Amino acid sequence: MAAFFSELETVRFEGRDSDKALAYRWYNAEQMVLGKPLSEHLRFAVAYWHSLAMNGSDPFGAPTIVRPWMTRADAMEGAREKADAAFELFRVLGLPFYTFHDRDIAPEGADLKESLKNFEAMVEYLAKKMEGSKAKLLWGTANLFSHPRFMSGAATNPDPDVFAYSATTVKHCMDATKQLGGSNYVLWGGREGYETLLNTDMGHELDQMGRFLTLVVEYKHKIGFEGQILIEPKPKEPTAHQYDFDAATVYGFLKKYGLENEVKLNLEANHALLAGHSFEHEIATAAMLGVLGSLDVNRGDPLLGWDTDQFPNDLQAMTLALYQVILGGGLGKGGMNFDAKIRRQSIDAEDLVHAHVGAVDLCARAFLNAAALVEKGELKAAVAERYAGWNTPEAKAMLEGKLSLEQISETTLAKGVNPKPRSGKQEKLENLLNRRLF
Ligand code: XUL
Ligand code: CO
């Protein structure tokens, strides 16, 4: 049977003046920027769950996006058909990577053994598909949140059998990620959190989570997986209190369990917003702490307080985010995964292509803007100027711990230090940013 997206042409770079709807205007994969091709900076990935498995159902309505592979009586036949469609979609979009959960690619079996058998068969199938495709795996992950067994958490479940079940699942998913040449393995704490302290021992649950992650790191070294282990922070939804709240909280957790040099972060734009931060704040925080790993790019709806996972379309917000990525040293083995889904009414195959093309171009354009801001150096100079006072020997001595509180007090009083307020020049810099955007 012909794969679902076969009719669609491969989307190509045509430049800014193209009249074609399905063309890249900004994403010229080979364009050299800051010393390497754009594609190597951005490392775009298509998310299997949103693009192949999402059916448009919501709490009020039935599926609207019904693909042929979703209705097959034989679930494994459906999974293979879905994989054929996935690789057609990757061909159409011409993007270098994809990402998946175990459950996206293979159906749940009657028990854990059968689920793993289905999964391993589908991993073999994907391995074959990858031989005939340019698409590589950015990261793999396990869905430890959909099935009712995970309703009280996976690693943090009060029931040790769920911990063991989850550990077994992650072991096999890490094996698969390594087998498929994945660059990262992601853990999003789907239901690692709680609803009420009336039934929760938070300290015990965090110790469980620390142990679980330690096991993952040990196993990574044991099998020689060269990818990064990444935690994806999110403050709420599905649980009221998710343990991996934001970048700073996860860093505190990693420090407590001695894993800060082993694990980095996969930061998601709308998760940042749900935590009351901007995306660039989360990126800058992770970079400052040495744990910037990868990005899930999407957007929320400012009028809604939940995770709408829309495709990104705000140039200024994305430019500011990617500016921090460049300042932070880039994404390395990470990339930019479109953790985004088409709307419930966008039911045509082509809608999925429009969604990705717009988002790819938006991100490419934002990156070019961010790179130009870095090259011009005006913002960096303004920041350096603001902190220039710290370059004096007296100021350095304070910061380097060479002066006690009494010594600082003595010299301050002796010199008659009398600080004068100085403008932060925010509006000037905002205007500069707006003038520079193209
Ligand atoms: C949920 C979310 C997940 C993770 C992978 O909000 O972002 O899709 O990215 O489990
Ligand atoms: Co995500």
Side-chain angles (χ1 to χ4, degrees), residues 41-361:
H41 286 287
L42 301 172
R43 294 166 60 84
F44 288 127
V46 179
Y48 212 100
W49 55 104
H50 286 310
S51 292
L52 284 309
M54 197 271 302
N55 64 14
S57 63
D58 74 8
F60 304 96
T64 56
I65 300 171
V66 183
R67 309 296 193 210
W69 54 87
M70 294 174 180
T71 54
R72 297 285 170 246
D74 177 344
M76 281 301 280
E77 189 192 322
R80 286 188 292 273
E81 202 177 325
K82 194 202 285 190
D84 293 346
F87 279 79
E88 267 302 293
L89 180 64
F90 306 156
R91 190 267 305 155
V92 171
L93 295 172
L95 300 180
F97 292 98
Y98 72 104
T99 54
F100 69 77
H101 298 84
D102 54 350
R103 247 343 37 87
D104 306 329
I105 64 163
E108 176 103 21
D111 57 18
L112 181 54
K113 276 192 184 145
E114 197 188 32
S115 294
L116 291 174
K117 195 168 142 249
N118 290 348
F119 178 60
E120 273 149 25
M122 283 311 300
V123 169
E124 286 299 332
Y125 195 78
L126 292 188
K128 292 224 170 63
K129 300 250 36 145
M130 285 171 81
E131 283 170 18
S133 160
K134 289 188 191 140
K136 297 185 286 295
L137 182 64
L138 184 63
W139 48 263
T141 189
N143 179 334
L144 302 177
F145 43 89
S146 293
H147 192 279
R149 76 175 67 85
F150 303 120
M151 73 178 183
S152 309
T156 64
N157 201 295
D159 179 353
D161 281 354
V162 181
F163 182 101
Y165 191 106
S166 306
T168 308
T169 304
V170 167
K171 180 222 173 266
H172 286 84
C173 206
M174 287 174 74
D175 290 339
T177 303
K178 178 173 185 258
Q179 184 186 338
L180 296 174
S183 301
N184 306 271
Y185 185 83
V186 167
L187 296 115
W188 168 58
R191 291 181 195 272
E192 312 295 25
Y194 70 91
E195 303 296 343
T196 171
L197 285 177
L198 292 172
N199 66 12
T200 302
D201 183 341
M202 186 158 43
H204 198 279
E205 293 201 357
L206 283 167
D207 283 348
Q208 290 175 216
M209 206 162 86
R211 179 93 295 266
F212 196 94
L213 193 57
T214 303
L215 291 169
V216 166
V217 167
E218 282 170 5
Y219 190 63
K220 164 195 152 141
H221 291 302
K222 177 150 194 230
I223 61 174
F225 174 55
E226 284 172 9
Q228 307 179 118
I229 303 293
L230 304 175
I231 295 247
E232 182 174 323
K234 185 176 184 180
K236 57 188 169 196
E237 198 204 13
T239 74
H241 305 269
Q242 295 277 133
Y243 292 133
D244 296 329
F245 190 93
D246 62 1
T249 309
V250 175
Y251 187 73
F253 166 82
L254 294 176
K255 274 289 236 197
K256 176 164 159 68
Y257 295 96
L259 296 168
E260 73 275 17
N261 298 320
E262 295 283 358
V263 178
K264 291 187 173 178
L265 306 184
N266 181 42
L267 298 168
E268 178 162 327
N270 196 47
H271 294 179
L273 228 63
L274 292 173
H277 301 306
S278 61
F279 198 20
E280 72 263 26
H281 167 87
E282 286 292 84
I283 293 169
T285 301
M288 169 184 87
L289 296 169
V291 290
L292 175 59
S294 197
L295 302 181
D296 269 10
V297 284
N298 59 12
R299 78 178 200 273
D301 185 322
L303 302 178
L304 303 173
W306 66 87
D307 202 9
T308 58
D309 280 338
Q310 289 167 246
F311 280 84
N313 69 357
D314 181 334
L315 179 64
Q316 179 157 326
M318 190 58 80
T319 302
L320 289 171
L322 295 181
Y323 181 72
Q324 291 303 329
V325 166
I326 299 173
L327 292 189
L331 292 173
K333 288 183 181 177
M336 295 176 76
N337 172 46
F338 291 113
D339 193 352
K341 60 184 174 221
I342 44 178
R343 299 301 86 194
R344 189 163 183 265
Q345 296 174 56
S346 303
I347 58 176
D348 295 346
E350 197 194 62
D351 290 325
L352 210 44
V353 185
H354 281 291
H356 281 91
V357 166
V360 163
D361 258 351

